[in-house]
């Protein structure tokens, strides 16, 4: 039995869809990671607003110094989260590009293997950078706790 061109195209398209499923699962993981980053940024923002109110109400110089130090630490942490967020979104965009390029390559029979591979490698490198940036933020948060900026009264 000979397969017609349409059947072969459908089977080939099915393989392309199967190939595109793995990057789509990766998008789900990146979306979950973005949720974690959003929650951490929200906590940092809430803490910064509280400290800002305390700073504006404080006349005591020692307390003002301590609060300013903690605000600086929060700013550093927010920068790390911002970097992680940006890299994660760029990674997701690269994954989307991989999926699109897989289909374009099939539809127009363009040899885009190197382009698809490059986009996927870029996505992974960006995701690695995002995880490293999150790790840096967690280390800053831990350092702040160890310095006693957050848990001063616990002894």
């Amino acid at each position: 039995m000979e397969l017609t061109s349409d059947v072969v195209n459908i089977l080939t398209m099915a393989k392309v869809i199967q190939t595109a499923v793995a990057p789509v699962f990766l998008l789900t993981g990146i979306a979950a990671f973005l949720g974690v980053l959003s929650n951490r940024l929200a906590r940092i923002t809430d803490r910064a607003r509280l400290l800002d109110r305390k700073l504006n109400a404080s006349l005591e110089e020692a307390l003002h110094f301590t609060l300013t130090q903690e605000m600086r630490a929060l700013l550093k942490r927010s920068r790390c989260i911002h970097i992680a967020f940006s890299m994660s979104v760029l990674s997701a965009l690269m994954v989307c590009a991989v999926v699109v390029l897989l289909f374009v390559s099939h539809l127009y029979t363009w040899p885009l293997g190197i382009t698809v591979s490059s986009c996927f490698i870029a996505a992974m490198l960006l995701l690695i950078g995002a995880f490293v940036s999150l790790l840096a933020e967690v280390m800053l948060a831990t350092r702040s706790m160890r310095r006693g900026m957050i848990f001063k009264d616990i002894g």
Side-chain angles (χ1 to χ4, degrees):
M1 174 180 153
E2 224 176 282
L3 293 175
T4 66
S5 161
D6 287 341
V7 173
V8 171
N9 264 347
I10 290 171
L11 292 174
T12 306
M13 182 58 76
K15 285 192 176 234
V16 172
I17 291 170
Q18 286 175 341
T19 305
V21 167
V24 171
F25 282 121
L26 180 58
L27 284 175
T28 305
I30 293 171
F33 185 59
L34 288 171
V36 169
L37 295 173
S38 292
N39 288 335
R40 291 190 73 83
L41 184 59
R43 297 289 306 262
I44 291 168
T45 302
D46 291 343
R47 181 71 180 155
R49 286 182 182 142
L50 176 71
L51 290 178
D52 189 51
R53 284 194 295 272
K54 285 183 179 182
L55 266 170
N56 291 332
S58 172
L59 297 175
E60 187 183 329
E61 192 172 321
L63 179 60
H64 194 273
F65 176 76
T66 302
L67 294 176
T68 302
Q69 264 189 315
E70 189 172 349
M71 285 289 274
R72 284 189 185 119
L74 289 174
L75 179 62
K76 287 178 187 177
R77 288 178 58 196
S78 70
R79 284 182 187 147
C80 287
I81 294 295
H82 175 76
I83 290 167
F85 209 95
S86 298
M87 292 181 99
S88 297
V89 170
L90 288 172
S91 177
L93 289 172
M94 287 289 112
V95 172
C96 290
V98 165
V99 173
V100 168
L101 289 170
L102 284 170
F103 283 101
V104 167
S105 174
H106 170 70
L107 289 174
Y108 299 106
T109 61
W110 293 342
L112 298 175
I114 292 174
T115 307
V116 169
S117 299
S118 298
C119 285
F120 190 76
I121 290 168
M124 291 297 98
L125 290 173
L126 286 163
L127 199 53
I128 289 168
F131 283 129
V132 168
S133 188
L134 175 63
L135 179 62
E137 188 273 331
V138 169
M139 292 173 82
L140 286 170
T142 305
R143 187 179 346 151
S144 292
M145 286 189 313
R146 271 188 270 138
R147 283 187 181 161
M149 290 180 176
I150 297 173
F151 298 118
K152 286 183 236 191
D153 299 332
I154 298 174

